[in-house]
């Protein structure tokens, strides 16, 4: 029996797959940029602690505050201290924020918190996990989205994609303008500059990072690149292999807002945030980096291309992995951040994911390795 998830995933595949091939055919330099990004990421992973320290010093040098946290609990504690309670918080899409449970934790402290990426907002409305790393609500048909918006906002947006987007835009606009805190992730972090780079199309990340007086960026340590050049490359490559190229926006944030218009003396703040906080999260990443097989997973740039080429992901209608990590890359990341090796057991080793990955990650090899770890633990009696 065909269900809404099956229909929605099928539509997503039909829209995305040919579009990515078209982008790569029309812009052949992107494959060269992808190779450079892989080189830059391997350089950082080979000297990870050094680059973490460099990044934190760079952020402090430009007027921001930097934190390194070992686990999700520490991440929640720091964000909670910065935000406090009784605040309005807007969030740009962040897998690490989801991984560490930031939204629900801030809500438990008495804050009003809104996801501002349309897909994430729909997930928040439905109280469901995301089904794709780039398009979290790809499992929802527009017919279901229409009913969900009618239920939550009391407005019938109609059946057109454009009208659905319009209703969400009108709902969120006042949230942006009155928010106390903006929280984003980071597509890449430049160690030499202390800058974060964010790529988007909706404009919600730009508003979340500029309009509120406080901007918090939370991301994994694997997002660090040696310098701003490589960080920009990662944003371009991520957008291209996600099929949304050229991206509508690339945002570079370097500390709090500033101006040099009075005698060329740079001072902060100006019109944008007066505070910038960068939280670098470990949560299993450094341990994985010590393993020559798992280290490959840390090269992932979260483009989500592997999902749509994977027969298992398509057969399971996106229900594969521990949220927010789904699909083939999610099966790897479930093992890294949640110590859950079961998602790897579902891999059929078709190999499509390896062929389309911009970072040339041998995903089937990593998942085979996680399968072996699972069965070794089973034999040892340490896992159910």
């Amino acid at each position: 029996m065909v269900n809404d998830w099956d229909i929605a995933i099928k539509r997503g595949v039909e829209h995305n797959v040919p579009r990515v091939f078209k982008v790569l055919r029309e812009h052949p330099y992107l494959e060269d940029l992808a190779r450079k990004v892989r080189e830059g990421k391997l350089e950082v992973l080979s000297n990870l602690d050094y680059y973490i320290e460099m990044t934190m010093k760079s952020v402090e040098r430009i007027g921001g505050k930097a934190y390194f946290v070992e686990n999700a609990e520490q991440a929640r504690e720091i964000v909670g201290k910065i935000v406090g309670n009784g605040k309005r918080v807007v969030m740009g899409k962040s897998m690490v924020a989801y991984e560490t449970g930031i939204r629900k934790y801030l809500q438990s402290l008495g804050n009003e918190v809104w996801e501002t990426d349309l897909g994430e907002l729909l997930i928040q409305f439905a109280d469901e996990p995301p089904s794709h790393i780039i398009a979290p609500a790809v499992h929802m048909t527009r017919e279901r989205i229409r009913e969900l918006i009618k239920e939550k906002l009391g407005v019938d947006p109609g059946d057109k994609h454009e009208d659905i987007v319009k209703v969400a835009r009108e709902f969120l606009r006042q949230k942006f303008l009155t928010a106390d805190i903006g929280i984003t992730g980071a597509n890449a972090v430049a160690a030499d500059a202390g800058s974060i780079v964010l790529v988007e199309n909706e404009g919600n990340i730009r508003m979340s990072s500029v309009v509120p007086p406080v901007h918090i960026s939370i991301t994994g340590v694997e997002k660090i690149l040696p310098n701003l050049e490589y960080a920009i490359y990662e944003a371009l490559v991520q957008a291209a292999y996600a099929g949304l190229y050229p991206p509508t926006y690339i945002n570079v944030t370097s500390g709090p807002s500033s101006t040099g218009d009075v005698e060329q003396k740079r001072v902060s703040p100006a019109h944008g945030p007066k505070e910038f906080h960068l939280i670098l999260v470990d949560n299993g990443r450094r341990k994985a980096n010590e393993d020559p097989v798992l280290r490959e997973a840390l090269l992932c740039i979260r483009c989500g291309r592997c999902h749509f080429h994977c027969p298992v992901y398509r057969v399971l209608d996106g229900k594969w992995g521990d949220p927010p990590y789904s699909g083939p890359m999610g099966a790897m990341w479930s093992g890294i951040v949640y110590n859950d090796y079961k998602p790897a057991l579902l891999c059929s080793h078709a190999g499509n994911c390896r062929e389309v990955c911009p970072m040339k990650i041998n995903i089937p090899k990593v998942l085979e390795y996680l399968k072996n770890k699972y069965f070794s633990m089973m034999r040892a009696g340490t896992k159910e």
Side-chain angles (χ1 to χ4, degrees):
M1 179 178 177
V2 177
N3 57 37
D4 281 352
W5 282 63
D6 182 71
I7 294 170
I9 295 291
K10 183 175 183 293
R11 289 175 182 172
V13 171
E14 290 172 348
H15 290 150
N16 177 271
V17 170
R19 191 169 63 228
V20 176
F21 280 115
K22 182 174 184 290
V23 166
L24 297 180
R25 184 174 64 252
E26 293 178 349
H27 306 282
Y29 61 85
L30 288 164
E31 293 188 11
D32 290 332
L33 293 186
R35 283 191 287 271
K36 290 179 181 178
V37 172
R38 179 182 168 91
E39 292 170 2
K41 292 178 82 68
L42 284 173
E43 161 62 23
V44 170
L45 294 176
S46 298
N47 302 276
L48 186 54
D49 289 343
Y50 168 78
Y51 278 105
I52 291 172
E53 183 178 359
M54 179 192 293
T55 301
M56 296 180 69
K57 287 180 178 178
S58 295
V59 170
E60 298 283 348
R61 187 176 61 249
I62 58 176
K65 295 183 179 179
Y67 316 80
F68 169 76
V69 298
E70 293 184 351
N71 52 48
E73 182 180 358
Q74 290 179 6
R76 291 192 296 271
E77 180 181 355
I78 287 176
V79 173
K81 287 180 178 178
I82 297 170
V83 174
N85 54 61
K87 303 292 185 6
R88 175 171 285 175
V89 182
V90 288
M91 298 185 66
K93 181 168 61 182
S94 168
M95 297 300 97
V96 179
Y98 192 109
E99 172 191 324
T100 52
I102 297 300
R103 173 165 60 83
K104 292 189 176 182
Y105 176 70
L106 290 178
Q107 289 172 325
S108 75
L109 297 180
N111 296 290
E112 176 190 346
V113 188
W114 293 103
E115 299 283 359
T116 63
D117 173 84
L118 178 53
E120 291 289 348
L121 179 66
L122 294 171
I123 292 300
Q124 181 176 355
F125 282 163
D127 194 23
E128 293 177 357
S131 55
H132 188 274
I133 200 75
I134 293 294
V138 72
H139 62 281
M140 294 186 184
T141 61
R142 67 177 181 278
E143 293 85 359
R144 186 187 169 207
I145 291 170
R146 176 183 181 178
E147 294 304 314
L148 186 61
I149 289 177
K150 284 170 61 177
E151 175 189 346
K152 296 298 181 179
L153 300 184
V155 177
D156 185 355
D159 198 41
K160 292 183 179 179
H161 297 78
E162 294 83 358
D163 292 336
I164 290 171
V165 173
K166 178 182 177 182
V167 170
R169 180 173 66 244
E170 292 172 347
F171 170 74
L172 287 172
R173 184 53 56 99
Q174 197 60 27
K175 308 300 182 186
F176 286 125
L177 296 177
T178 56
D180 302 291
I181 309 286
I183 299 177
T184 70
N187 291 97
V189 183
D192 70 327
S195 306
I196 67 166
V197 178
L198 287 155
V199 60
E200 61 162 331
N201 294 286
E202 294 182 20
N204 65 300
I205 290 177
R206 180 162 289 195
M207 295 190 73
S208 297
S209 62
V210 172
V211 177
V214 177
H215 175 199
I216 302 169
S217 173
I218 179 168
T219 193
V221 295
E222 83 283 2
K223 285 297 182 180
I224 298 172
L225 283 155
N227 56 47
L228 190 52
E229 178 185 11
Y230 280 101
I232 295 290
Y233 288 165
E234 176 158 341
L236 293 172
V237 172
Q238 198 266 3
Y241 282 80
L244 299 169
Y245 194 85
T248 307
Y249 304 106
I250 290 182
N251 305 299
V252 178
T253 297
S254 305
S257 63
S258 65
T259 179
D261 281 351
V262 180
E263 297 180 342
Q264 289 297 289
K265 179 177 174 59
R266 190 170 188 174
V267 296
S268 294
H271 299 296
K274 62 181 180 180
E275 295 180 23
F276 172 71
H277 303 265
L278 175 63
I279 302 170
L280 295 171
V281 178
D282 179 0
N283 210 30
R285 290 161 172 81
R286 288 194 301 168
K287 181 180 178 181
N289 189 45
E290 295 171 358
D291 187 303
V293 178
L294 290 183
R295 171 181 284 190
E296 280 284 302
L298 301 181
L299 297 172
C300 177
I301 61 170
R302 310 287 198 270
C303 68
R305 193 184 185 201
C306 59
H307 295 60
F308 291 136
H309 289 265
C310 175
V312 176
Y313 176 82
R314 293 164 69 162
V315 166
L316 294 178
D317 300 332
K319 305 184 191 77
W320 182 20
D322 296 303
Y325 302 117
S326 58
M329 62 76 59
M332 295 191 298
W333 278 84
S334 291
I336 291 172
V337 301
Y338 300 123
N339 293 316
D340 181 6
Y341 306 137
K342 287 183 179 178
L345 302 180
L346 297 175
C347 175
S348 65
H349 295 278
N352 299 5
C353 53
R354 178 184 61 234
E355 297 305 314
V356 300
C357 176
M359 294 295 100
K360 305 302 180 185
I361 301 169
N362 192 340
I363 299 175
K365 179 181 178 181
V366 176
L367 295 183
E368 181 181 22
Y369 180 74
L370 291 176
K371 287 181 181 182
N372 289 333
K373 287 178 72 72
Y374 175 82
F375 288 117
S376 294
M377 295 174 72
M378 287 282 288
R379 287 192 293 270
T382 58
K383 197 172 184 73
E384 297 181 356

